[in-house]
Amino acid sequence: MSVSATPASAHWNGTGQLIARIGVYPYNYNDTWQKPMNKALANWNATSSPADLYKNRNSGSTITVKSYRNTWYGHYTRCGDSCFYIKLNSRTINRDASNFSNYVTGVLVHEFGHALNLAHNSTTSIMNSSRNRDTMTKPQAHDVSDVNAYY
């Protein structure tokens, strides 16, 4: 019997989806939001991980862009084994972004990381809460490694 050990450097939260193939209900926003949001899906799908994020009309998973009073940029909530809700806070993103498109992409890539069971960390990672959101728009090597180790 083989027992798989958790790598010491892994940063998992265990609140993500059971599998890395994740459907999300198609979102429809103006191009200012739609293009960077689509890029976030593509950025995870381009990694050497099992992440497969795709739009599916039968999915209960949703992404909502709205002005929230909260201070966060994005928020992930698990609603089941294959369901999540992601909220993007237009108020804080519009206020703080120097490069709007990159900011939106990076925030959504980060939230997808939570859906893939990744936790916040302090390494060079899309999951680092102190990362530069105007420039980091793709999962980093550490993120891909953690997803590969989890799934």
Side-chain angles (χ1 to χ4, degrees):
M1 180 172 148
S2 170
V3 176
S4 168
T6 302
S9 63
H11 298 98
W12 300 323
N13 64 15
T15 63
Q17 306 304 290
L18 292 182
I19 61 173
R21 187 170 200 284
I22 304 170
V24 61
Y25 191 82
Y27 43 84
N28 187 20
Y29 293 98
N30 64 41
D31 277 352
T32 303
W33 285 90
Q34 189 82 15
K35 286 181 180 180
M37 291 169 70
N38 288 343
K39 190 173 181 182
L41 270 82
N43 286 356
W44 265 112
N45 291 340
T47 68
S48 60
S49 78
D52 180 14
L53 305 168
Y54 62 98
K55 295 179 185 178
N56 179 342
R57 289 204 169 276
N58 295 319
S59 176
S61 298
T62 60
I63 302 171
T64 304
V65 176
K66 185 176 159 184
S67 178
Y68 298 95
R69 299 186 84 173
N70 308 71
T71 58
W72 44 257
Y73 300 108
H75 189 266
Y76 164 85
T77 305
R78 183 178 193 264
C79 56
D81 291 343
S82 59
C83 178
F84 64 78
Y85 306 129
I86 291 177
K87 298 175 183 176
L88 298 179
N89 192 343
S90 62
R91 184 184 64 79
T92 54
I93 291 171
N94 281 317
R95 179 192 70 202
D96 296 342
S98 295
N99 183 322
F100 181 83
S101 181
N102 281 357
Y103 217 91
V104 171
T105 298
V107 168
L108 188 52
V109 168
H110 174 94
E111 297 309 324
F112 283 144
H114 288 308
L116 294 164
N117 286 289
L118 300 182
H120 291 145
N121 63 58
S122 58
T123 64
T124 302
S125 167
I126 197 71
M127 301 310 294
N128 185 328
S129 296
S130 298
R131 73 194 179 283
N132 184 332
R133 290 172 179 82
D134 284 312
T135 59
M136 188 179 288
T137 62
K138 296 180 180 179
Q140 303 297 294
H142 183 81
D143 305 312
V144 173
S145 175
D146 278 357
V147 170
N148 284 334
Y150 190 89
Y151 293 101

